Amino acid sequence: IHDLAWSPDGRWLVSTGDVEGAKLWDMTSLPPKLARNLIPTPGVLTDRSAAWSHDGQHLAFSVPHSVYL
């Protein structure tokens, strides 16, 4: 895991990594449940970071020379 980003309401957590891509986790359940593979291709998010918009409606990923919304 290279980056974690909490949604503003605390319900969602996004994790990014070289091997697993980006994953969206539902943090309202115990244990947390995987809600969706956002970018399932390994290696796409090398040197990546994730960020939520202030209203929690949008998620962005930055990688060298690109931004995914």
Side-chain angles (χ1 to χ4, degrees), residues 28-47:
T28 61
S29 62
L30 291 175
K33 292 183 181 178
L34 177 63
R36 181 178 294 191
N37 285 317
L38 298 173
I39 302 176
T41 307
V44 168
L45 294 176
T46 303
D47 297 326

Side-chain angles (χ1 to χ4, degrees), residues 14 22 36-39 44-45 49-63 65-69:
V14 171
R36 181 178 294 191
N37 285 317
L38 298 173
I39 302 176
V44 168
L45 294 176
S49 61
W52 289 90
S53 63
H54 290 289
D55 62 6
Q57 297 296 310
H58 303 281
L59 186 60
F61 298 95
S62 65
V63 297
H65 312 293
S66 299
V67 174
Y68 295 91
L69 299 173

Side-chain angles (χ1 to χ4, degrees), residues 4-15 23-28 33-36 52 56-57 59:
L4 298 171
W6 286 95
S7 64
D9 63 5
R11 177 178 180 184
W12 305 103
L13 178 69
V14 171
S15 61
K23 296 185 180 288
L24 179 66
W25 299 91
D26 182 348
M27 302 304 286
T28 61
K33 292 183 181 178
L34 177 63
R36 181 178 294 191
W52 289 90
Q57 297 296 310
L59 186 60

